[in-house]
Amino acid sequence: MATTEIKKDIHWVGAIDWNIRDFHGYSTYRGTTYNAFLVKDKKIALFDTVKKSHTGELLHRIARVADPASIDYLIVNHVEMDHSGALPEVIERVKPEKIFCSPMGEKAIMEHFHPQDWPLHVVRSGDTIDLGSRRVQFLETRMLHWPDSMFSYIPENKLLISSDAFGQHFATSERFDDQVDFSELMRQTTKYYANILTLYSPLIRKLLAKVEEMNLDIDMIAPDHGLIWRSHIPDVLRAYDDWSRGKGRRKVLVIYDTMWESTHKMAKAITSAVSEEGVSVKMINLAVTHRSEVMTDVLDAKAVVLGSSTLNNGLLPRMAGFLMYMRGLRPGNKIGAAFGSYGWSGEAVKLMNAAMEEMKFDLVDPGVRIKYVPNHDSLRECTVLGKKIAALVKEQTEE
Ligand code: FEO
């Protein structure tokens, strides 16, 4: 199994999970990697481990560059089990002198693994350890995206090991950003932010400001998933800056589910009206699109128009599930509106409006409800709604 020397004496020794397709509800159709890094200096240090199922792969790769028993330090940047599952076996094999983690990392390790005698050493933001010819500086990144998360920075190598931040679920034999298709890399980076980090956007703003204030000299960012950034660092930093501000592009999403095609016809009329106004629009049927793909599009859309037929005085289950998912991630700074067909009670539009109000979307219309099956005249209401949304999006975005 190949390892990669990403900097002099710093080796990628992680694992590639080609087959994973579901990551706690996030569709990972490109698989993923669990990145771990071995630094060979006077002290040998391993940064993070991998998912338990891939422990053998990690140990095999480590053995290609160093005797596992010669590792002195383990650094646990994040305790979520895709990076810590291998810890018990690794500790058994390595018998490290010290294991470094954040204060919340210590708690999380105790609560996950209940160890009796692991040599845990708590480090805080600004603490530094010496490996010999290089140092490691720690930066706690609480709630990005777990309480225990932290970054490790090696100034002598201008290397930031960034835990989940800047990662992507993207399994490849390549290790660097300039070795893969850039648009696919950015799609997977966008998807990762949209589905894992959106909720923490205010904290990301603070973190980006802090990193700027610290004036760190960085020429490589090594996340715990996917490709390592060396050629496109400004691109990913700019994207994180835009996403964390909730900056919307001139783009409208019409997201819907339909019972007997009436709501589908309404979705088509709205989509067509937006398009005729020269605004980019995407019609997304929840029956055929995974929620994590939908959220990827929501991240930089300026307007979200939701449609559902009324079923049993409520929403169609796929829309209810999507709203639950989107509410958890709380995307900010959106224009919102709703539509749907109904037979007699017709609560769906009211329920979608309430969910969007809770997410602080700017509701620009009471919504369009059509009884049973729309005709040419009633579809005109959808056209009016589409044109109104398009005009507002134009007003509030730059081309
Ligand atoms: Fe990749 Fe939060 O674990």
Side-chain angles (χ1 to χ4, degrees), residues 202-379:
L203 294 174
I204 288 175
R205 292 231 49 70
K206 282 191 190 160
L207 177 68
L208 291 173
K210 171 129 182 128
V211 169
E212 200 175 328
E213 178 195 308
M214 289 167 78
N215 208 14
L216 301 182
D217 193 4
I218 297 168
D219 70 8
M220 188 177 285
I221 298 178
D224 272 0
H225 295 288
L227 284 307
I228 296 164
W229 301 91
R230 65 178 178 190
S231 296
H232 297 291
I233 292 175
D235 296 292
V236 74
L237 289 178
R238 200 176 314 115
Y240 265 57
D241 187 58
D242 286 350
W243 297 330
S244 64
R245 284 176 201 278
K247 188 174 171 185
R249 285 179 48 226
R250 189 168 279 190
K251 177 177 113 178
V252 176
L253 301 180
V254 179
I255 303 167
Y256 72 102
D257 195 7
T258 190
M259 195 190 298
W260 290 109
E261 295 300 303
S262 292
T263 302
H264 171 74
K265 286 176 186 157
M266 296 172 77
K268 275 177 78 174
I270 295 167
T271 303
S272 170
V274 174
S275 181
E276 273 178 30
E277 293 303 308
V279 171
S280 175
V281 58
K282 193 165 181 179
M283 191 167 109
I284 300 175
N285 183 343
L286 290 172
V288 294
T289 317
H290 194 274
R291 61 182 167 270
S292 54
E293 286 299 323
V294 184
M295 276 313 300
T296 310
D297 277 313
V298 167
L299 184 62
D300 66 354
K302 186 63 203 168
V304 173
V305 191
L306 298 176
S308 172
S309 325
T310 295
L311 174 72
N312 300 330
N313 308 113
L315 295 165
L316 287 173
R318 275 188 286 255
M319 178 55 77
F322 174 67
L323 280 176
M324 166 79 85
Y325 188 65
M326 181 160 67
R327 264 202 303 234
L329 289 162
R330 239 180 286 160
N333 220 2
K334 309 282 179 210
I335 291 169
F339 64 97
S341 79
Y342 68 103
W344 47 98
S345 55
E347 289 89 344
V349 166
K350 189 177 76 187
L351 292 169
M352 289 183 285
N353 279 344
M356 287 189 281
E357 261 170 0
E358 200 188 311
M359 289 182 282
K360 305 209 178 334
F361 283 19
D362 182 14
L363 275 190
V364 294
D365 194 275
V368 180
R369 296 158 76 234
I370 291 179
K371 201 161 184 210
Y372 288 121
V373 177
N375 61 16
H376 188 72
D377 288 337
S378 54
L379 279 179

Side-chain angles (χ1 to χ4, degrees), residues 31-175:
T32 194
T33 71
Y34 312 110
N35 296 339
F37 304 96
L38 189 82
V39 178
K40 289 176 76 177
D41 208 316
K42 271 194 194 124
K43 291 290 187 185
I44 300 183
L46 176 66
F47 290 75
D48 294 313
T49 67
V50 298
K51 198 172 167 182
K52 188 171 189 217
S53 53
H54 289 68
T55 308
E57 196 175 328
L58 169 74
L59 288 168
H60 189 97
R61 284 204 168 88
I62 292 172
R64 294 283 298 263
V65 286
D67 176 0
S70 68
I71 295 173
D72 301 288
Y73 296 158
L74 297 187
I75 286 113
V76 179
N77 281 322
H78 182 25
V79 184
E80 191 166 6
M81 284 197 269
D82 48 333
H83 310 293
S84 72
L87 260 184
E89 197 175 332
V90 169
I91 290 170
E92 189 59 36
R93 292 280 296 273
V94 166
K95 303 212 172 4
E97 183 189 327
K98 291 178 181 174
I99 302 170
F100 296 100
C101 57
S102 68
M104 297 306 281
E106 182 186 40
K107 279 187 176 190
I109 288 173
M110 296 307 292
E111 287 160 359
H112 276 74
F113 303 104
H114 316 287
Q116 301 290 317
D117 53 0
W118 288 4
L120 299 175
H121 287 253
V122 166
V123 287
R124 295 180 167 77
S125 282
D127 286 354
T128 300
I129 61 168
D130 199 344
L131 298 183
S133 68
R134 49 169 82 72
R135 296 156 295 158
V136 182
Q137 207 175 309
F138 298 102
L139 175 62
E140 289 171 72
T141 57
R142 278 194 190 197
M143 295 318 298
L144 287 176
H145 69 124
W146 273 26
D148 52 272
S149 303
M150 67 174 184
F151 286 177
S152 299
Y153 172 61
I154 303 180
E156 290 77 7
N157 295 105
K158 302 183 182 181
L159 171 65
L160 181 70
I161 299 175
S162 63
S163 190
D164 280 329
F166 310 112
Q168 336 89 42
H169 286 311
F170 193 0
T172 60
S173 56
E174 290 71 30
R175 299 275 66 85

